[in-house]
């Protein structure tokens, strides 16, 4: 097993990966996993606000328009990028959705364009995601969504958790690149206190300042979910389907 970790979506992605785990811990990939843990059917990730609004208008009122800019819901959206807000909605309102975020949806679409199968991963589905991506082959990649084009401490920690889970699947004979070794060591330095490490990040502090600490705690729950959404296509559009 060969594991490579790309720390920001602006870095070149190797085109030889059998499978990708994309992580935007706070909060896009946690939101996506929660959407499908809650019985969601179709979720369309898009990069821009214009694309999201256009899709909502075309697809109709039965679609939930979700997302954020600067961590808050854009004007006219049905919901933000908050998994706890999502869970408070009636289930019939969260079966089909459109999602756009500052970092996560862009990273997902970048991975899809590079080749290989692409899965939304986070702390909540870490073990399930490792098992799922391992089934795609021996050459695996983890892409961190980062923060505004740069490094994101919490995504790096989550990538380290995912590396650990992959090594649990195959403890012998794995090869790690420098990025994978770096995030693995960062994760191990936390001595098992994943949430405290995440709380040291710039992004977590911003969410706390906005009164969204509940989201941070929810996203830090390790192996609490089972869904591992795969980004494929639905009616010609990049989509996660349940």
């Amino acid at each position: 097993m060969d594991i490579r970790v790309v720390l920001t979506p602006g870095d070149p992605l190797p085109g030889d990966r059998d499978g990708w785990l994309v992580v935007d811990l706070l909060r896009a990939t946690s939101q996506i996993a929660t959407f499908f843990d809650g019985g969601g059917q179709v979720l369309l990730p898009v990069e821009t606000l214009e694309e999201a609004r256009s899709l909502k208008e075309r697809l109709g009122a039965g679609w939930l328009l979700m997302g954020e800019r600067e961590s808050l819901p854009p004007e006219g959206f049905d919901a933000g990028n908050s998994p706890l807000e999502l869970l408070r909605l009636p289930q019939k309102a969260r079966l089909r959705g459109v999602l756009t975020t500052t970092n996560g949806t862009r990273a997902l679409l970048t991975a899809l364009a590079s080749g290989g199968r692409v899965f939304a991963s986070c702390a909540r589905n870490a073990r399930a995601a490792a098992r799922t991506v391992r089934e795609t082959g021996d050459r695996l990649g983890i892409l961190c969504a980062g923060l505004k084009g740069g490094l994101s401490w919490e995504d790096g920690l989550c990538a380290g958790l995912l590396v650990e889970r992959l090594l649990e699947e195959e403890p012998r004979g794995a090869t790690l690149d420098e990025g994978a070794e770096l995030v693995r060591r960062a994760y191990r330095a936390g001595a098992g206190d994943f949430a405290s490490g995440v709380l040291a990040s710039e992004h977590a502090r911003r969410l706390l300042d906005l009164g969204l600490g509940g989201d941070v705690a929810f996203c830090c729950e390790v192996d609490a979910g089972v869904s591992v959404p795969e980004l494929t296509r639905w009616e010609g559009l990049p989509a996660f389907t349940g």
Side-chain angles (χ1 to χ4, degrees), residues 7-147:
L7 294 171
T8 74
D11 294 336
L13 270 60
D16 63 348
R17 299 295 91 182
D18 298 312
W20 283 98
L21 296 177
V22 178
V23 55
D24 183 1
L25 180 72
L26 301 176
R27 294 164 287 169
T29 53
S30 300
Q31 175 88 331
I32 294 165
T34 300
F35 182 87
F36 287 98
D37 276 339
Q41 297 174 349
V42 183
L43 184 60
L44 308 177
V46 298
E47 187 170 339
T48 70
L49 294 175
E50 292 74 17
E51 290 174 280
R53 290 180 173 127
S54 176
L55 274 175
K56 166 75 172 185
E57 183 176 357
R58 176 160 68 88
L59 294 170
W63 289 75
L64 182 68
L65 183 58
M66 301 179 289
E68 58 77 28
R69 289 298 183 269
E70 299 297 329
S71 303
L72 295 173
E75 183 178 356
F77 273 47
D78 302 313
N81 187 35
S82 165
L84 292 182
E85 179 187 10
L86 179 66
L87 291 174
R88 287 193 291 267
L89 296 174
Q91 186 175 20
K92 65 180 182 180
R94 47 186 166 94
L95 298 178
R96 296 185 171 195
V98 178
L99 176 69
T100 180
T101 71
T102 307
N103 306 292
T105 50
R106 179 179 303 169
L108 286 158
L109 296 170
T110 297
L112 184 65
S114 76
R117 294 171 66 184
V118 176
F119 303 91
S121 61
C122 56
R124 294 184 62 83
N125 71 357
R127 190 178 304 280
R131 288 175 177 167
T132 299
V133 78
R134 184 67 187 93
E135 295 172 357
T136 68
D138 293 323
R139 298 168 300 179
L140 308 177
I142 301 172
L143 173 60
C144 298
L147 184 63

